[in-house]
Amino acid sequence: MKIAIIAAMPEEVTPFREFFTQRKQIWQKGKTVIEKLNEDVYLVESGIGKVNAAASAAWLCEHVAPDLIINTGTTGTFHANAALGEILLSDRFVYSDVDATGFDYQYGQVPQMPADYPINHALLQEVEQLFAVHNITYHLGTIVTADSFMSDDATINTIRKNFPDLIGSDIESCAIAQVASFYNIPILNVRAISDKVGDKAPQMFDDSVDNVSVQAFQAVQILLNSLSKDAVDKKITKT
């Protein structure tokens, strides 16, 4: 089974590069670097933001055609009881900075595209079981995607109003999921909490990014070692 790991920043991919020492770079353009770690695993440093993420995902899906994409790295959390370094696991992908409600689309829905990109329950169940066996503390829920760092109260309040049950926010995952859906490639989002949304979030992120990137890497390593091909091939609902 061919798995591609996508993370946005050098800090987020460093633990993978330190572990997989025999990697080979196969493509580079702009902020995107794609490396082959071994016969079954590819690593993508996408660059930050939705456009970088979508561009790197398009090249990856077209030329590597992985069986599964795992988006990882850091995330800000809206979850009051979650601690830095704990894992957030997406149950779906959705934008939080798209508003075409004037044309009767749902908030977060790009016109002529799905309202969101769900992850099959059976695949998530296997991930949850693996995390439980390995004593990984995680939270399952909605991680929204926006080209904004969550430090502005007005932005945070708007997102809370439209997604009252969300647990986190990132800047890439839904763009990757949208592209992956064109190729019928399943995707997971497994991220470690680097900050809690609000005006203190930037400093929290700077202080924690290196350590929590290691914790995200450790969670993804469990999936690389144990996720069954059956879960990917037979249990997903392809878009």
Side-chain angles (χ1 to χ4, degrees):
M1 179 170 62
K2 193 187 300 181
I3 298 177
I5 302 155
I6 302 180
M9 301 170 56
E11 294 91 337
E12 295 169 332
V13 298
T14 291
F16 294 93
R17 288 174 173 159
E18 291 178 345
F19 184 84
F20 293 96
T21 58
Q22 302 300 311
R23 63 188 184 276
K24 178 183 178 182
Q25 182 174 310
I26 61 171
W27 194 72
Q28 188 277 326
K29 186 73 67 174
K31 292 294 185 180
T32 300
V33 179
I34 301 181
E35 298 169 295
K36 186 175 184 178
L37 303 184
N38 58 37
E39 288 303 312
D40 300 314
V41 182
Y42 291 77
L43 179 66
V44 181
E45 180 185 338
S46 66
I48 297 169
K50 293 186 293 186
V51 172
N52 282 326
S56 60
W59 195 95
L60 176 77
C61 293
E62 187 70 27
H63 297 282
V64 175
D67 299 297
L68 173 68
I69 295 171
I70 301 175
N71 188 209
T72 191
T74 58
T75 181
T77 187
F78 286 72
H79 199 309
N81 298 321
L84 299 189
E86 293 180 348
I87 298 300
L88 298 190
L89 176 65
S90 292
D91 60 1
R92 62 175 177 143
F93 299 90
V94 62
Y95 296 111
S96 63
D97 59 355
V98 175
D99 186 355
T101 53
F103 297 94
D104 295 325
Y105 289 98
Q106 295 184 33
Y107 189 89
Q109 182 178 10
V110 174
Q112 301 182 6
M113 298 302 297
D116 61 17
Y117 301 86
I119 302 172
N120 180 266
H121 181 67
L123 179 58
L124 281 176
Q125 272 194 322
E126 179 155 347
V127 174
E128 290 188 274
Q129 290 167 1
L130 290 171
F131 284 171
V133 167
H134 291 274
N135 298 313
I136 297 292
T137 300
Y138 73 95
H139 306 270
L140 176 67
T142 298
I143 302 175
V144 297
T145 296
D147 275 322
S148 300
F149 196 82
M150 293 297 129
S151 57
D152 176 72
D153 286 341
T155 300
I156 292 167
N157 290 337
T158 297
I159 292 173
R160 285 190 190 277
K161 177 182 176 181
N162 286 284
F163 302 96
D165 299 325
L166 87 166
I167 58 172
S169 178
D170 63 38
I171 315 181
E172 295 87 23
S173 66
C174 192
I176 299 169
Q178 182 175 337
V179 173
S181 72
F182 302 155
Y183 294 85
N184 293 325
I185 296 174
I187 174 173
L188 294 168
N189 195 23
V190 179
R191 291 174 176 261
I193 298 170
S194 56
D195 55 272
K196 297 190 176 185
V197 299
D199 60 0
K200 295 182 174 61
Q203 188 60 55
M204 295 174 69
F205 174 83
D206 285 341
D207 291 343
S208 70
V209 59
D210 291 329
N211 289 334
V212 303
S213 292
V214 172
Q215 289 164 291
F217 160 77
Q218 291 169 342
V220 172
Q221 273 291 84
I222 290 169
L223 303 184
L224 293 180
N225 292 333
S226 305
L227 192 63
S228 72
K229 192 173 189 298
D230 180 69
V232 175
D233 285 347
K234 298 181 180 178
K235 294 181 182 177
I236 64 166
T237 299
K238 294 188 174 181
T239 305

